[in-house]
Every structure is written in C-alpha cells, then in structure tokens.
Amino acid sequence: MNAPSDTIPYDRIRALEWTGGRLRLIDQRLLPERLEYLEITTLEAVAAAIRDMVVRGAPAIGIAAAYGVVLGARAHASQSPDRWKALLAPDLERLAAARPTAVNLRWAVDRMSEALPRATEPDALLALARMIHAEDIAGNRRLGAFGAELLPPRAHVITHCNAGALATGGFGTALGVIRAAAGSGGIERVYAGETRPWLQGARLTSWELEQEGIPVMLMADSAAAHLMKSRRVDWVIVGADRVAANGDVANKIGTYALALLARHHGVRFMVAAPTSTFDPKTPNGDAIAIEHRPVEEVLAFRGQRHSAASAAFNPAFDVTPAALVDVLVTERGVIHAPDLERIAAHLQTKS
Ligand code: MRU
C-alpha cells in the first residue's frame, strides 16, 4: 500500500520503507551524489536520524517516529514482556523532542501513544504506523489534485525547500500539487530555490523532479524578486511545518520572503499541507518554536569552510502571516484566504 505506484504518474520515490522488521531510510544528507539507505533498528537511531536530517520534512519525520515507536516497543517487549508499555513512555518524549518546529512529529507520537493502552503486543502498533504512512500518501494524492485544479494551463511556479516525496510518506505536498498538475499537462516550468544553507532545493527537489522527468530550473534564493519582476510566475507553492490556528504558517527559512515578494508582484501564494500539519493548540505564529540549527551549516558545506565569519544566524524556519497566504490546500480541500474561522470550519470537515 505504501509502495511506489506503477499506475499513478510521477509517483516513484519513497524516502521511508518498513521492511524486514526495520525502517529503511534514504540518507538525504548524501543526495544527489549518492543514493544510499540506512537500515534503522532502534528508537534511539530514529531520533538521531531525525535530528541529523537523514530523514526530514514534516510528514516524513512524523512517519519515521511512528515506526520508531514500534522499534522501541519491540525492544522493551523482548526484555520485559510485562512492563514494555511503561518503559516505552519516556522514550516517546525523547522522540517527539528530536526537532521542535514540525508539529507532525508530535502528532504522530501522540497518535501512537494514544493507541498504547489498547495494544496487546508491539505489532498492533506496527499496524497503526503503517496506516499513518498509507494515509499520508493517499492524502497527498488528494491534496495534489485539489491544488492542481487552481493552476492555470501550463503554469509557471516557484517552490522552496523540498516538500516532495522525500519529505513525506510519498507523492509530496507542494510537489504533490506539481506532480498532479504535471500528470494532466498543467505545468510548464518549476523554479526551485536553492534553499540555503542546507540546499534542500538544489539537492533534493531538483533530484526528485529530475527523477520524475518534470522539468525544473534551479535558482539562487536571492533571484526570486528579479524572477517575479521579469518573467511569468503564476504561483508560489510551498509546504508547511506547522499551521497555527489563525493560519500563520511556519515553513523553511526564506518562505516568508517569498510570500512578501509574491504579494508585491501579484503572484498567488499556496501552502499545501495535510491536516496533520495543522496545530489548533498554537494560536498564532508567534507561539511556534523556531528551530535554530548549528552555525556550521551556514559557515561551511560538508565540512568545507567557505566563510570568513566565525558566527552565523541559522534559523531553520520562518513564519508567514496568514494574510499573505492566498490558499491553504489540504487532503480535505481548499481554504481560501485562511483565518481562524475558516480553518476551524475546515478541520470539522471529513476527508
Ligand atoms: O528542515 P527540513 O528540511 O525538515 O524542512 C522541511 C520544510 O520546511 C518543508 O517545506 C516542510 O516540512 C513540509 S514537507 C512536506
């Protein structure tokens, strides 16, 4: 159910796979030079893989964590068959704390934790982890179709970071919209921002779209204003790490700048995210914890220093105010001009 599809166009990449009792992850630190996999067998190793960006992207780290709970449960059950649930509880908190901004991580750990009292054995949790994974893929296909309907024929779009198959269970959110549109001939050009400093756009989005045969043009992040001023751009399409109750959106650093530029240039701005990325408990963007990552990510690339500075500012995310978001697209449909009431009403609807 979670495998790549032969029948759905542009659906060939999976960042995570549960196989032979292990979690198999594409090591995203090595792309695009090397496509290598890590076989993960412990909950602690899942937390480390999330922290170190072996696996990244909000939905993907939630799904990895769900499988991590299974690995933790199995380890405790083999050592202490009577106490495995009690022993697992503190591990769940450590797993959920691996990265702070993406709410999908907490959402997935909470879902696993709520199932714990009813689970008679660790493998009951595996069924739930597989379900979370499958739901994400199915949701992204629906979300992609909703988003694609909003694009004009032969659209020209900008995307930022990587909100693709690599960042999700499969198919992607922002890239899910682009995949769905490409499948119906609706995409003429995708501009991908490099996404300094970790280069998710240059390394991951470009790789993913090239693998699928969807034409992509890479640009320096700082080229976006000139691009919007001088060439046709219909939409900016991005993913999200957390959508607050009022519609403010945390996403990869640089997203806010793109939203400001889009508004100035009359370009529409779409955030594509599953409802698992919505956090009604966070009232607005000011309440979202922004992860700051090691300064070495800015001062050097893969251990090679390219900067004379000894200090750096490295927030991994920023917050785009809801007022700059034209549409939020989820697996349940489209929220135009998102605000507190529209989002609350949307979250009441069923898929
Ligand atoms: O630091 P990353 O690579 O995990 O950041 C990822 C993003 O900001 C994505 O846009 C977001 O998680 C949505 S992924 C569908």
Side-chain angles (χ1 to χ4, degrees):
M1 203 183 347
N2 301 342
S5 171
D6 293 330
T7 50
I8 295 173
Y10 307 115
D11 190 15
R12 289 188 299 204
I13 296 167
R14 292 289 179 269
L16 327 93
E17 196 189 350
W18 179 266
T19 173
R22 294 152 181 248
L23 177 60
R24 191 165 179 259
L25 297 174
I26 292 183
D27 188 342
Q28 299 193 30
R29 299 168 302 181
L30 306 179
L31 286 172
E33 284 86 356
R34 302 207 301 277
L35 175 58
E36 287 182 16
Y37 294 85
L38 283 184
E39 305 262 340
I40 309 256
T41 56
T42 66
L43 176 146
E44 288 72 23
V46 173
I50 293 171
R51 228 177 9 252
D52 299 343
M53 312 269 285
V54 171
V55 60
R56 32 67 48 204
I61 65 180
I63 296 161
Y67 287 123
V69 174
V70 177
L71 291 169
R74 284 185 168 179
H76 287 306
S78 71
Q79 305 225 314
S80 316
D82 302 330
R83 296 190 53 233
W84 65 273
K85 292 185 188 180
L87 293 169
L88 187 59
D91 294 350
L92 300 190
E93 278 318 301
R94 279 202 302 281
L95 195 54
R99 289 189 78 190
T101 305
V103 75
N104 304 64
L105 178 54
R106 166 59 66 186
W107 172 88
V109 170
D110 283 353
R111 242 181 116 179
M112 298 299 286
S113 163
E114 281 157 21
L116 205 49
R118 292 188 311 278
T120 47
E121 48 166 12
D123 279 1
L125 296 175
L126 177 58
L128 178 57
R130 282 187 184 282
M131 192 161 95
I132 289 173
H133 191 175
E135 279 174 5
D136 187 66
I137 300 169
N140 289 340
R141 290 180 184 142
R142 280 199 299 277
L143 169 164
F146 285 128
E149 276 175 23
L150 301 172
L151 306 188
R154 297 152 55 91
H156 289 207
V157 304
I158 295 177
T159 191
H160 188 57
C161 191
N162 171 265
L166 289 170
T168 61
F171 205 69
T173 58
L175 294 195
V177 173
I178 288 168
R179 278 188 164 87
S184 54
I187 285 279
E188 188 163 83
R189 173 147 310 163
V190 179
Y191 294 98
E194 280 181 308
T195 322
R196 282 277 299 147
W198 214 74
L199 298 182
Q200 285 92 334
R203 299 191 303 104
L204 307 180
T205 291
S206 303
W207 180 81
E208 195 174 320
L209 293 179
E210 295 278 356
Q211 293 294 307
E212 302 280 27
I214 298 173
V216 55
M217 201 176 260
L218 187 65
M219 64 173 176
D221 299 315
S222 46
H226 180 68
L227 170 68
M228 289 189 208
K229 195 169 100 179
S230 60
R231 289 192 181 189
R232 173 179 164 195
V233 181
D234 301 299
W235 282 89
V236 173
I237 308 176
V238 294
D241 280 79
R242 188 182 298 234
V243 180
N246 72 340
D248 291 350
V249 173
N251 191 49
K252 179 53 54 191
I253 191 74
T255 303
Y256 176 32
L258 281 175
L260 287 165
L261 291 174
R263 184 56 56 92
H264 182 79
H265 291 95
V267 171
R268 309 258 286 147
F269 191 85
M270 178 191 300
V271 176
T275 50
S276 54
T277 303
F278 285 60
D279 181 13
K281 290 198 206 114
T282 297
N284 54 51
D286 292 342
I288 299 176
I290 298 293
E291 175 184 10
H292 283 252
R293 295 198 51 89
V295 295
E296 281 305 311
E297 288 184 356
V298 176
L299 299 175
F301 185 67
R302 291 187 175 152
Q304 191 77 36
R305 277 249 167 177
H306 51 64
S307 159
S310 51
F313 177 58
N314 189 19
F317 302 99
D318 58 27
V319 174
T320 299
L324 294 177
V325 177
D326 290 302
V327 291
L328 278 169
V329 180
T330 80
E331 76 280 11
R332 300 184 194 173
V334 179
I335 311 169
H336 293 272
D339 63 11
L340 186 73
E341 286 74 30
R342 291 193 186 105
I343 288 175
H346 186 81
L347 294 179
Q348 298 292 320
T349 61
K350 291 260 174 284
S351 301

